[in-house]
Amino acid sequence: MRRPKLKKASKRMTCHKRYKIQKKVREHSRKLRKEAKKRGHKKPKKDPGIPNAAPFKEEVLREAEQRKQRLEELKQKQKLARQKDLEKKRKLQAKKNATEANKHPEEKESTMKLKAKSNTLLDKNSKKSFCRELKKVIEASDIVLQVLDARDPLGCRCSQVEQIITQSGGNKKLLLVLNKIDLVPRENLEKWLHYLKNEFPTVAFKSSMQLKDRSVQEKQLRKKRAHIDLSRGSMCFGSECLLKLLREHCKTQDKAIQVGVIGYPNVGKSSIINSLKEVRVCNVGPVRGVTKCMQTVHIDKQIKMIDSPSIIAAPSNSALALALRTTTDIEESGKLLDAVNAILKHCSKQQMILYYNIPDFRNSVEFLTLLAQKRGMLKKGGVPDTQSAAKLLLYDWTGAKVSYHSLLPASRSLSPHLTKEVVAEMQQGFNLEELAKDNMNTIKAVKYPNLASSIVFQSSGLTNGTVEENELTEGTSELENMETSEEGEDLTEDDQDSDEEEEAVEEESDVQTSSKTNPAKLSVEDGSSEKQTAGEQSRTLSFNLDETTDQDDVYDFNTDYV
């Protein structure tokens, strides 16, 4: 089997072939010269000028100079006339615009409002659209699944969203789904399940990581599989328990239900829907904010899942909560170092050194330099790329890679935004004993990391989220100001373009006249520019290929020289 070409083919050739080509090129050029001589094609002769012996030489030169001056005067007059015409046109256009603005001020305001509305509707990445879509999902769903990362369950809970669901009425239920249970030690997982089930019904879940589209899946089903490993990433655990719970609720309600899936970014909302459907239906990725609008997926005739964009973390949260739970990537906001520093403060230093296999460090900058050197992230000159190392650390901690676990809070009382009545209402209609048995079965099936290898993490507590659009008015007002300023700039662009065109014409004419009058200056300037370009070319090119390129142009490669 032929190996694929990884590099370009070499242009090296034998000396025999090179000399042969040079010889043919010389013969070809000699032939062309002979044909040119026969045709009588000669170079144009230079103007010899007025000979010194000619009579009235000074008068002829004077007349030529006068002719040049007259031509220059004519050009200047034409330029002035053009400028006057342009000024008149501008004044007339300004008057027309002023009259139209005075006639229809209301129409102009309405068009501006429509433009602002369309811009806000089109911007799917804006925080306002995320809030709007999240509210739609909560209103449309009968059961809301709040997805929590098992490594930091408290940090993934939003008290504002829980209050909206519990106070909405209409027999709306809230369930907690503890995802990524394979990244937490078993003892810690059991403690968290026991803690969370006192507030809401909690399901232990491990979503599948390697689901593909239906077309790819059908092709792979034809192939025989000799051995199946249950602990690999493609397997899903807890889906039967969750579907059983939802189907029982359908029977009690005697109707088809809609299940909304909500949570902070990178907790696995879309992965849970894909795992229940057993096909990749929703887009999934390590980048934050992949889901930008609500998406409905039919699991069966009775259950319809609704995927939602992530909850927006309030800016009043701690640096750790903002580092792990913000919707936008932190590298865009330029706070990578603060995020890394917050993570390192809430972890054991010794465990981080053992996990990343690096020597002792004093601060976050030194940690990032050591990590970059360890992973081979180097810039030109062997300088460690700390920014890419910080991105890698954040992707590890928000994605499903690093195994860390948070300790339970000291007080086992209810959360401040909940009461015993609300908890009883949320747990009503579910068989909690069967749910506990199913959770135990899923816990037994999953493979867990050791308690010693998992990093101990200090959680910052509940993360505050912004659900109301009124709390996000500042960012939108700034966007509107930017839009109005852009519109103002667009109005003045036409005038600026016309001025620039005139200036360019003037500069070209000045350059032409100066080249006629003093060619010495031009030669000096060309020399300086050539020196500058020569320095740049010497950096990029290591050798000169002028001679070979000339030969290649002349040589006809279609003919076979033997």
Side-chain angles (χ1 to χ4, degrees), residues 23 27 78 97 138 144 154-155 166 173 186 194 197 210 218 232 277 289 300 303 307 384 401 440-441 450 487:
K23 188 181 176 184
E27 286 174 3
Q78 286 172 359
N97 291 333
I138 292 166
V144 180
L154 269 186
T166 51
K173 301 291 182 182
R186 182 171 175 172
H194 184 70
K197 77 177 183 181
Q210 299 169 1
E218 284 171 6
R232 64 184 179 176
K277 188 71 177 172
D300 53 24
I303 301 165
D307 194 8
K401 192 169 183 183
M440 284 304 295
N441 291 331
N450 294 326
E487 285 176 1

Side-chain angles (χ1 to χ4, degrees), residues 530-544:
E530 282 173 7
K531 283 176 186 176
Q532 289 175 358
T533 52
E536 292 173 359
Q537 286 176 357
S538 64
R539 292 173 193 168
T540 53
L541 296 173
S542 58
F543 53 89
N544 194 3

Side-chain angles (χ1 to χ4, degrees), residues 200-222:
F200 296 106
T202 310
V203 181
F205 201 91
K206 190 258 170 188
S207 56
S208 56
M209 304 276 289
Q210 299 169 1
L211 283 174
K212 295 182 180 178
D213 296 332
R214 230 170 241 168
S215 58
V216 180
Q217 208 175 24
E218 284 171 6
K219 287 177 185 176
Q220 287 184 348
L221 282 170
R222 294 171 193 169

Side-chain angles (χ1 to χ4, degrees), residues 382-398:
V383 179
D385 192 359
T386 53
Q387 194 169 6
S388 57
K391 287 179 190 176
L392 183 131
L393 183 81
L394 285 170
Y395 278 128
D396 285 355
W397 280 72
T398 53

